[in-house]
């Protein structure tokens, strides 16, 4: 297991700090991945778009009061003070703020009078490390705004930003619930990418195991099983979340977006089917690896057994004539040495021919 994989499997930092604290106490749980928190804003409607990077909380509030839809993206949830000020500005519940700064939070959806709170896992496939990276994303969906929270800068939302900038599709003419759907759809699309990359690796390992199994293959299989397990933990609850959003009676989730939530729900079902399939394949790969190792060992043992079988009668002959008896007729015969060699060669050739005819070699 590599150091990066060990790091990912560790218990989140600060997970034991909150013991005994009052509900709603904000404590950052996770690994700090950037020095300074930053807020980016995209404010838009069907005719215009205003994109601003690194803005203050007060400026965010001004954008949120506009007549269009405002997307506020917060990078750096380790900044408790910033999250607290933002929470007061948008009247977020203390328990919501507590969940936002905890990266070990389970996937869920909570409906409040003025907003909908969504927690889900964002995944991306790291080509350099050949692994799946997971980060928590929290969404606050209000009447005319969406706030996304994440610790690390860099996400899977570039396609959404491009659609907003170029006014492609219906996103600029829809409300905040459609923006939330678009963000979740981008996350789910990356699940497909991660699963497909894992599928490619599974095919490569399968070919290697059948050709020449090596000890590193079993380690890679275990690594892929951990990635599949992480995907499974992320997708199964997400399906329930999206199902709840589809059936939500909140005024924030409009009826015109219900068909899109159903489509997203279908996508999660497809991912679950793929994850379960690859999970079964990985279990079979482990058995295939052990079978391949066993077959190779059997081949080696077969060759050694054949060699030993050929040398058993030859050893017997040599042992007989190696005895220290004085009266052995063949010892005085001039051609005795050559005769023994001839007999041993004939025995060896005869055994090889017999094994060949039996298709043992």
């Amino acid at each position: 297991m590599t150091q990066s994989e060990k790091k990912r499997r560790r218990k989140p930092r600060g997970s034991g700090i909150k013991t005994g604290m009052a509900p709603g106490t904000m404590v950052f749980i996770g690994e700090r991945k950037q020095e300074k928190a930053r807020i980016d804003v995209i404010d838009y409607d069907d005719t215009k778009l205003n994109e601003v990077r690194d803005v203050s909380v007060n400026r965010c509030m001004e954008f949120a009061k506009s007549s269009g839809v405002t997307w506020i993206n917060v990078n750096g949830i380790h900044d408790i003070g910033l999250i607290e000020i933002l929470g007061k500005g948008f009247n977020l519940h203390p328990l919501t703020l507590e969940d936002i700064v905890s990266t070990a939070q389970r996937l869920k959806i909570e409906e409040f009078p003025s907003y909908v709170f969504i927690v889900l896992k964002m995944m991306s496939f790291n080509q350099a490390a050949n692994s799946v990276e997971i980060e928590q994303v929290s969404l606050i969906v209000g009447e005319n705004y969406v706030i996304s929270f994440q610790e690390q800068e860099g996400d899977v939302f570039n396609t959404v930003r491009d659609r907003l900038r170029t006014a492609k599709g219906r996103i600029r003419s829809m409300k905040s619930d459609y923006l939330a759907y678009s963000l979740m759809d981008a996350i789910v699309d990356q699940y497909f990418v991660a699963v497909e990359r894992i599928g490619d690796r599974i095919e490569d390992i399968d070919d290697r195991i059948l050709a020449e199994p090596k000890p590193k293959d079993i380690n890679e299989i275990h690594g892929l099983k951990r990635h599949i397990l992480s995907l499974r933990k992320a997708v199964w609850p997400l399906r329930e979340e999206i199902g709840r959003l589809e059936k939500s009676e909140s005024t924030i989730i409009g009826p015109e977006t219900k068909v899109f939530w159903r489509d997203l729900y279908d996508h999660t079902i497809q991912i679950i089917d793929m994850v379960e399939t690859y999970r079964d394949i990985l279990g079979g790969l482990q058995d295939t690896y052990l079978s391949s190792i066993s077959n190779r060992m059997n081949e080696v043992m077969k060759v050694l057994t054949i060699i030993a079988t050929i040398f058993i009668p030859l050893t017997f002959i040599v042992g007989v004539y190696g005895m220290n008896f004085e009266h052995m007729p063949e010892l005085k015969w001039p051609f005795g040495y050559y005769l023994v060699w001839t007999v041993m060669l004939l025995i060896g050739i005869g055994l090889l021919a017999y094994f060949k005819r039996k298709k043992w070699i």
Side-chain angles (χ1 to χ4, degrees):
M1 187 188 304
T2 64
Q3 290 297 324
S4 60
E5 288 175 333
K6 289 180 180 178
K7 195 173 185 180
R8 283 193 297 273
R9 294 187 68 192
R10 289 186 191 134
K11 196 175 182 179
R13 294 182 181 179
S15 55
I17 296 177
K18 297 178 63 176
T19 303
M21 290 186 175
T25 303
M26 295 177 62
V27 177
F28 174 64
I29 297 178
E31 183 180 357
R32 183 170 176 170
K33 296 183 179 180
Q34 62 184 59
E35 289 298 321
K36 182 182 177 183
R38 197 186 76 206
I39 302 177
D40 300 331
V41 174
I42 298 179
D43 185 72
Y44 65 91
D45 57 26
D46 55 349
T47 60
K48 61 180 177 60
L49 179 141
N50 187 14
E51 183 174 0
V52 186
R53 296 171 62 87
D54 199 7
V55 301
S56 64
V57 176
N58 292 333
R59 189 82 187 279
C60 289
M61 299 299 299
E62 294 176 4
F63 279 114
K65 294 176 183 178
S66 66
S67 59
V69 178
T70 304
W71 175 18
I72 302 170
N73 185 55
V74 181
N75 294 314
I77 58 175
H78 64 271
D79 192 337
I80 300 295
L82 176 65
I83 304 300
E84 188 173 10
I85 295 172
L86 201 61
K88 290 180 180 178
F90 286 91
N91 195 27
L92 302 181
H93 196 280
L95 292 177
T96 299
L97 298 178
E98 179 187 6
D99 291 341
I100 288 173
V101 297
S102 174
T103 59
Q105 190 59 237
R106 68 176 182 84
L107 279 74
K108 65 178 181 179
I109 172 174
E110 294 179 345
E111 296 183 12
F112 293 85
S114 60
Y115 65 90
V116 176
F117 176 50
I118 304 170
V119 179
L120 65 163
K121 301 296 182 181
M122 177 175 64
M123 294 190 179
S124 59
F125 192 85
N126 190 326
Q127 291 283 5
N130 207 20
S131 62
V132 176
E133 296 182 347
I134 304 174
E135 183 178 1
Q136 177 171 300
V137 175
S138 302
L139 300 178
I140 302 292
V141 186
E143 190 66 36
N144 65 330
Y145 66 86
V146 173
I147 310 176
S148 56
F149 297 89
Q150 58 193 50
E151 171 57 24
Q152 187 176 9
E153 185 174 358
D155 49 42
V156 299
F157 301 142
N158 287 331
T159 55
V160 179
R161 294 186 180 95
D162 291 338
R163 285 160 55 196
L164 287 170
R165 291 164 185 158
T166 58
K168 287 184 177 180
R170 57 174 60 86
I171 189 169
R172 290 268 291 270
S173 60
M174 299 290 281
K175 296 181 179 179
S176 59
D177 56 345
Y178 187 84
L179 174 60
Y181 154 75
S182 299
L183 297 177
M184 294 180 68
D185 185 56
I187 290 175
V188 171
D189 286 344
Q190 285 300 311
Y191 287 178
F192 279 107
V193 174
V195 172
E196 288 172 0
R197 295 290 185 274
I198 291 176
D200 293 340
R201 290 179 61 189
I202 289 174
E203 290 180 4
D204 294 339
I205 295 174
D206 191 20
D207 294 337
R208 291 205 308 266
I209 287 176
L210 293 177
E212 188 178 359
K214 295 181 180 179
K216 68 176 184 179
D217 293 330
I218 195 67
N219 295 329
E220 191 168 357
I221 290 173
H222 283 301
L224 289 175
K225 289 177 73 174
R226 286 194 296 271
H227 293 326
I228 285 292
L229 182 60
S230 298
L231 278 164
R232 191 172 186 270
K233 288 180 178 179
V235 178
W236 274 95
L238 180 60
R239 181 189 64 170
E240 301 302 325
E241 282 191 33
I242 296 172
R244 287 187 59 187
L245 284 173
E246 181 190 348
K247 300 173 183 176
S248 173
E249 297 180 357
S250 173
T251 57
I252 296 173
I253 307 298
E256 64 275 6
T257 59
K258 293 295 179 69
V259 63
F260 299 105
W261 293 116
R262 285 197 296 270
D263 180 67
L264 191 58
Y265 183 86
D266 291 340
H267 289 174
T268 59
I269 297 296
Q270 293 177 30
I271 295 173
I272 289 172
D273 291 341
M274 295 172 67
V275 167
E276 293 299 328
T277 299
Y278 286 139
R279 187 184 181 197
D280 294 339
I281 291 174
L282 283 171
L285 274 182
Q286 190 168 359
D287 295 337
T288 302
Y289 172 83
L290 296 175
S291 298
S292 298
I293 292 295
S294 178
N295 289 337
R296 292 194 68 191
M297 182 63 67
N298 290 339
E299 290 295 324
V300 172
M301 293 303 298
K302 184 175 73 172
V303 172
L304 294 178
T305 301
I306 289 173
I307 294 173
T309 303
I310 292 173
F311 275 91
I312 285 174
L314 307 185
T315 303
F316 173 76
I317 295 174
V318 172
V320 169
Y321 287 100
M323 293 186 294
N324 294 321
F325 289 111
E326 182 176 354
H327 301 289
M328 294 185 71
E330 293 85 356
L331 294 179
K332 303 296 183 179
W333 189 37
F335 300 103
Y337 173 77
Y338 303 104
L339 178 62
V340 169
W341 265 110
T342 301
V343 171
M344 289 192 299
L345 288 174
L346 290 174
I347 291 174
I349 293 172
L351 288 173
L352 285 173
Y354 178 76
F355 296 151
K356 190 74 173 177
R357 187 164 61 88
K358 290 288 186 179
K359 296 182 179 180
W360 293 348
I361 58 174

